[in-house]
Amino acid sequence: MARPAVELLEFDKLIGIVLGLSTCGPGRRALEALRLSTDRMELEAGFNLIGEAVEYLASGSEMGFGAIADPESWLELLGLPGSVLDPTQLLDAASLIEAAFDARQTLAASRDRWPLLAGAGANFADLRPVAAAIRHAILPNGEVSDDASPELKRIRQQRVRLRERTLQMLRAVLRRLSEAGSEEDYVTLRNDRYVIPVRASGRRSVPGVVHGASSTGQTLFVEPLEAVEQNNELVRLGEAEAAEIARILDELTGRLREQQSLLARTVDAIGRLDSVFARGRFARRFDCVLPRFSDEPRLRLAAARHPVLEQALRARGREMVPVTVELGGADTVMVISGPNAGGKTVVLKTVGLAVLSAQTAIPVAADDAELPLVDRVLVDIGDEQSITADLSTFSAHVLNLRAMLDTASDRSLVLIDEIGTGTAPEEGSALAIALLDEFRRRRTLTFATTHHDRLKAFAVGTEGILNAAVEFDSVTLQPTYRLLLGMPGTSSGIEIARRLGMPAEVIERARREMAPEALEAGSLIDNLHRLQEQLDSQLLEIAAERARLEQERARLRTEWVERQRQRVEELERQFRETLANVEKEVARLSADVQERKLRAALEKQSARRLATIRSEARAEADAAVLQHRGEMQQDLGVAAEPSLAPIDPERLEPGMKIRVRGLGKPVVVRERRGRSVEVQAGPLRMKVPVENVLGVVSEPERTEGPGARGITVEAQAAEGVGDEINVIGCTVEEAVEQVDRFLDRAALASKPRVRIVHGYGTGALRRGLAEFLRTHPLVEKISAEAPERGGEAVTLVELKG
């Protein structure tokens, strides 16, 4: 990637935008080090990491390192033998170590959700003991703590005591002088020694060493002789303190130097991660997409934008019109035409910047991006939008184009603005045709803008070359910046000149000077554009109408479903009321019977008969609901039931699993009754017509011997009914069916209570049976068995009567 391409496509400005979204010096340096790559695996790995960063940011979390100072300076010092870091640099190192560990822990906690980010954070070394030593020795204000070492603490305590004694002695001298008429009464420092002010006129009253005088010379600063020894000791202790501090700093620096490689690795990892999150913030700010890379020379951008231009437009309160472009496969060259200021150069820069962004692992500002991996981006832009040297002269263009021919391959991207300009139109067109044909022959992806009609005609009649036009509203004289693929554009120079106030006679003369075929071609292209606009408008209207119809259909469907739901609920309510009335009437009639034994027998018989009526009514109600659900699904256009082989009703037998129209899951056959079949769906039993049976899912299980799966009845009573049933290994549906029959036989045998052994398992079988038993007409109450007899693995059932 040549330096001019970086500037001409404004890639350097794009990097500047991303740099502004980083949070630390290492991150900025990592971004500045980005280079064009053709390593697909490396790029895809980078984009996968950026993708997780985008999701992380979208979740409301943040990851930044703005609290740490740039470590570059103190890291360099660590590499110099004998160098010692000052307290501020040591604190910066501790902050970096702590920030790195915090980030590592934060990312590790969300490893299941963002594993790649957690892996990147794992590169942060855990050097907390070093950071703790620094924090222990250096206070937040940068001073070395008294607790940094026992020796430093001893020296400082000794200095404090000696200083206090020295001050007390000097204050005593001042009091003595004050009694003698002196007006000075304070102690100060000169040359790091404690002194007192003495009037020059009374100098002889205080024997000692003079360390200075006031600006007027009337006051001398004298160190009394009795304070000399104490000041000497204070100076000595100060030097000892400085030496101990230097030793402590050297020791802490040494501990960091021992971990220099890990520190450098951590700083590098922080830089890479910060650069990843900077690119993630860029992707969110500019609605970017992570590109896909094509093995073929194919380029497709949907709603692409130039981020630098978009940011400038946003600052002015304007929005950028995105560009959709596709090139590759049979067509490898695109000729873009249209008026000046119509956006042709913007298309070139947008395409080029998208490719450079993708191959430097920066998200692409587009709704979708499929891009080739190019070996170089060759650019010739010579208009006023270039920020490099003026390349508008013909000779500069030729030199640049020749360099392109020397290096372009089938893996290159070529961008040429205003090809064939700077010389006579005929010669320029001929040279442009020859160049584009050569790039077509090499299958080099090439985008070129032009005003030459010969180039437009050449693109129309040549395989592998595609025409495209940028729209320009000739009424408002404003570009629409839309790119229309498959048709040439018009320059509209005379029309624009007329609307900008060019005299009418000049406009008419210009039109007369144009060749008739040029006027005819221009008129034809204008008509094509108008037809395209009409087609686009009609497509938009059709799409809007389709969306409206879909919304209306959804509304009607919702209303219909609600009405049917209310209807089903009303059927259920009526069924419950009728059943409750029957139960009340039976209870009333039983209460009228005075003889106790007869009443008990009647209650038993009534309960059994009522249970039968309830079961049959429930089955009929469930069948009605089932049929109604089937009708609802047909009306709503629900997908058809899975296709199964048809079945002869005579083949239906108990235990067989079948699929029934209107039910999402298979049900179990209980028995066949003429043209209907009784089935079990969970706790529900219902009758369904045989024509609603779609097919067989599985045959009934054949069990033989005591080890077979299913129910085993233990402790058989004389009547043939035991006190216990074992349903371990059954599904809920199978267990409910078997327990229901067992309870019927137990009630007929006048069993007061029975035990149901279902085991612990996941608890699903126990809960399903409990739900079934609570509503059973023969069950008085249920409870768990005593712990010594099975506990929660066994349900004890008290029967009514």
Side-chain angles (χ1 to χ4, degrees):
M1 184 171 60
R3 178 63 183 169
V6 174
E7 296 180 351
L8 291 171
L9 299 176
E10 299 177 279
F11 182 73
D12 52 342
K13 294 182 180 178
L14 173 68
I15 289 292
I17 293 175
V18 183
L19 283 172
L21 299 173
S22 63
T23 63
C24 65
R28 286 186 284 274
R29 285 190 290 276
L31 290 170
E32 291 168 347
L34 291 176
R35 294 293 180 268
L36 191 74
S37 173
T38 57
D39 188 331
R40 180 170 180 170
M41 291 184 62
E42 178 186 28
L43 290 170
E44 289 178 342
F47 279 121
N48 289 337
L49 192 58
I50 293 170
E52 284 197 3
V54 172
E55 293 178 6
Y56 186 91
L57 295 169
S59 71
S61 302
E62 246 308 342
M63 177 61 63
F65 300 91
I68 65 173
D70 193 337
E72 187 175 31
S73 60
W74 58 261
L75 272 177
E76 290 180 359
L77 278 177
L78 286 180
L80 300 176
S83 61
V84 178
L85 302 187
D86 62 36
T88 300
Q89 291 171 324
L90 289 168
L91 288 176
D92 289 343
S95 296
L96 182 139
I97 292 169
E98 292 162 349
F101 181 78
D102 290 344
R104 171 177 168 171
Q105 293 299 98
T106 299
L107 296 175
S110 54
R111 179 178 297 277
D112 292 341
R113 190 172 180 184
W114 296 296
L116 298 179
L117 291 177
N123 291 320
F124 298 166
D126 183 3
L127 300 175
R128 286 177 296 166
V130 179
I134 293 173
R135 295 292 186 194
H136 175 75
I138 302 176
L139 299 175
N141 62 3
E143 294 181 1
V144 177
S145 170
D146 293 350
D147 298 324
S149 74
E151 178 64 13
L152 181 63
K153 189 171 188 178
R154 183 192 65 78
I155 292 171
R156 285 183 171 174
Q157 289 176 344
Q158 190 174 347
R159 281 194 70 192
V160 167
R161 291 193 295 268
L162 182 58
R163 175 178 175 273
E164 188 58 34
R165 289 200 304 272
T166 303
L167 291 176
Q168 288 177 358
M169 183 269 293
L170 292 175
R171 291 190 188 105
V173 174
L174 286 173
R175 284 195 297 272
R176 193 168 62 247
L177 293 175
S178 175
E179 292 171 357
S182 175
E183 298 178 359
E184 309 294 346
D185 62 348
Y186 61 91
V187 178
T188 186
L189 278 171
R190 289 293 184 274
N191 301 323
D192 294 329
R193 302 178 76 86
Y194 288 103
V195 296
I196 59 174
V198 177
R199 286 286 182 180
S201 57
R203 165 70 184 83
R204 295 183 181 277
S205 61
V206 182
V209 180
V210 176
H211 288 276
S214 65
S215 58
T216 62
Q218 295 183 3
T219 301
L220 302 176
F221 296 101
V222 179
E223 178 185 8
L225 290 178
E226 55 262 51
V228 170
E229 280 302 319
Q230 294 182 15
N231 271 327
N232 287 342
E233 183 62 14
L234 285 173
V235 170
R236 188 191 66 79
L237 289 174
E239 292 172 349
E241 179 183 7
E244 179 62 12
I245 289 174
R247 187 196 65 78
I248 292 169
L249 297 180
D250 183 64
E251 179 182 321
L252 293 174
T253 302
R255 294 193 64 176
L256 286 174
R257 187 172 282 118
E258 290 172 359
Q259 308 294 340
Q260 187 174 357
S261 61
L262 289 178
L263 281 169
R265 188 192 76 183
T266 299
V267 170
D268 185 56
I270 286 174
R272 289 198 304 272
L273 188 63
D274 188 57
S275 76
V276 165
F277 273 95
R279 285 173 280 177
R281 295 182 193 99
F282 172 80
R284 284 173 52 77
R285 176 173 295 186
F286 290 92
D287 297 322
C288 296
V289 68
L290 306 182
R292 304 184 308 280
F293 293 106
S294 171
D295 294 327
E296 302 295 327
R298 180 183 302 278
L299 182 149
R300 181 181 180 277
L301 291 170
R305 290 154 281 111
H306 193 293
V308 179
L309 177 59
E310 184 173 18
Q311 179 166 271
L313 291 174
R314 284 180 180 178
R316 299 199 293 268
R318 296 170 56 190
E319 292 185 3
M320 184 175 180
V321 178
V323 173
T324 296
V325 61
E326 184 171 359
L327 189 64
D331 299 319
T332 57
V333 177
M334 180 178 290
V335 175
I336 305 172
S337 52
N340 286 319
K344 299 188 299 296
T345 306
V346 172
V347 174
L348 296 187
K349 289 189 171 186
T350 300
V351 170
L353 192 61
V355 171
L356 294 183
S357 297
Q359 289 190 226
T360 47
I362 295 176
V364 177
D367 288 351
D368 187 50
E370 181 182 3
L371 301 170
L373 285 170
V374 302
D375 56 4
R376 55 182 57 85
V377 179
L378 305 171
V379 183
D380 179 35
I381 295 178
D383 63 6
E384 69 279 1
Q385 297 183 61
S386 173
I387 59 173
T388 59
D390 182 14
L391 297 177
S392 62
T393 65
F394 182 68
S395 59
H397 277 296
V398 170
L399 289 173
N400 206 5
L401 294 172
R402 188 192 70 182
M404 289 182 175
L405 287 173
D406 290 341
T407 56
S409 70
D410 61 350
R411 296 184 56 222
S412 302
L413 175 66
V414 171
L415 306 170
I416 307 174
D417 194 29
E418 303 293 356
I419 188 171
T421 57
T423 187
E426 282 297 316
E427 291 184 348
S429 297
L431 182 59
I433 288 173
L435 284 168
L436 293 182
D437 199 44
E438 176 62 20
F439 288 133
R440 180 189 65 85
R441 186 188 65 79
R442 298 185 187 185
R443 294 191 58 77
T444 303
L445 286 182
T446 304
F447 292 82
T449 67
T450 187
H451 287 285
H452 292 309
D453 289 338
R454 281 193 62 191
L455 274 180
K456 303 173 194 177
F458 172 69
V460 170
T462 306
E463 290 187 2
I465 302 182
L466 181 67
N467 258 317
V470 290
E471 269 192 337
F472 191 86
D473 192 329
S474 59
V475 176
T476 63
L477 299 181
Q478 293 294 323
T480 66
Y481 298 110
R482 290 179 60 212
L483 185 67
L484 306 178
L485 301 180
M487 65 173 61
T490 58
S491 296
S492 305
I494 293 178
E495 184 63 22
I496 293 174
R498 183 184 71 82
R499 294 189 178 275
L500 290 177
M502 187 69 71
E505 59 273 17
V506 175
I507 296 297
E508 289 303 318
R509 174 65 184 274
R511 284 176 174 161
R512 289 197 302 270
E513 291 297 325
M514 287 189 66
E517 59 271 18
L519 288 172
E520 185 177 351
S523 177
L524 178 61
I525 292 173
D526 287 339
N527 286 333
L528 284 174
H529 282 227
R530 281 193 291 272
L531 288 174
Q532 182 66 45
E533 289 176 0
Q534 293 174 6
L535 178 61
D536 291 344
S537 177
Q538 290 173 0
L539 289 175
L540 288 174
E541 291 176 0
I542 291 172
E545 181 64 16
R546 181 176 180 180
R548 188 189 67 78
L549 290 174
E550 286 293 336
Q551 291 177 354
E552 181 66 14
R553 180 182 177 187
R555 184 185 65 80
L556 292 174
R557 177 183 296 179
T558 301
E559 292 177 355
W560 191 89
V561 168
E562 179 62 22
R563 288 197 300 270
Q564 299 308 312
R565 185 188 63 77
Q566 293 174 0
R567 180 182 169 190
V568 170
E569 289 180 353
E570 178 62 21
L571 288 173
E572 290 278 358
R573 186 188 63 78
Q574 292 176 3
F575 170 74
R576 288 194 299 270
E577 288 182 356
T578 301
L579 195 59
N581 291 335
V582 171
E583 290 176 345
K584 289 179 182 178
E585 183 64 18
V586 170
R588 186 186 65 79
L589 292 174
S590 298
D592 291 342
V593 178
Q594 300 298 320
E595 205 277 318
R596 181 179 176 186
K597 289 185 178 180
L598 180 60
R599 185 171 62 195
L602 181 60
E603 285 178 350
K604 274 189 181 180
Q605 184 178 2
S606 299
R608 286 196 293 271
R609 181 58 183 159
L610 189 59
T612 303
I613 294 172
R614 184 202 304 268
S615 177
E616 292 176 352
R618 178 75 264 176
E620 292 176 1
D622 289 341
V625 172
L626 178 63
Q627 181 179 0
H628 188 59
R629 285 184 56 192
E631 294 172 357
M632 288 172 60
Q633 289 182 335
Q634 291 177 358
D635 292 339
L636 290 174
V638 176
E641 302 282 354
S643 178
L644 296 173
I647 181 172
D648 182 359
E650 299 296 330
R651 286 190 54 233
L652 295 174
E653 56 180 302
M656 181 181 286
K657 283 190 176 181
I658 61 174
R659 191 173 291 278
V660 176
R661 181 178 291 107
L663 289 182
K665 295 182 178 181
V667 296
V668 179
V669 175
R670 289 178 59 86
E671 61 178 306
R672 185 172 61 84
R673 300 177 179 177
R675 296 300 300 170
S676 65
V677 56
E678 182 178 331
V679 297
Q680 182 90 33
L684 296 179
R685 280 181 289 175
M686 63 189 74
K687 293 178 182 177
V688 296
V690 292
E691 53 267 23
N692 282 354
V693 178
L694 301 175
V696 177
V697 175
S698 64
E699 296 290 337
E701 295 185 3
R702 310 297 180 184
T703 58
E704 297 180 3
R709 179 174 179 232
I711 298 173
T712 59
V713 180
E714 302 176 2
Q716 294 292 324
E719 295 85 350
V721 181
D723 296 324
E724 179 178 287
I725 184 172
N726 187 329
V727 293
I728 293 175
C730 295
T731 65
V732 174
E733 293 176 355
E734 294 167 345
V736 164
E737 180 182 0
Q738 300 291 352
V739 168
D740 189 31
R741 287 202 292 265
F742 175 69
L743 293 178
D744 287 340
R745 295 196 301 271
L748 291 173
S750 300
K751 296 281 185 182
R753 69 184 58 81
V754 292
R755 300 171 79 244
I756 301 174
V757 180
H758 43 69
Y760 291 102
T762 62
L765 184 57
R766 175 176 56 81
R767 290 192 296 271
L769 286 171
E771 182 179 352
F772 167 71
L773 293 169
R774 288 192 188 98
T775 60
H776 198 284
L778 300 177
V779 175
E780 181 71 31
K781 69 174 182 176
I782 63 173
S783 60
E785 183 58 279
E788 64 273 11
R789 300 190 62 193
E792 294 289 338
V794 179
T795 294
L796 190 63
V797 180
E798 299 282 346
L799 297 178
K800 291 183 178 178

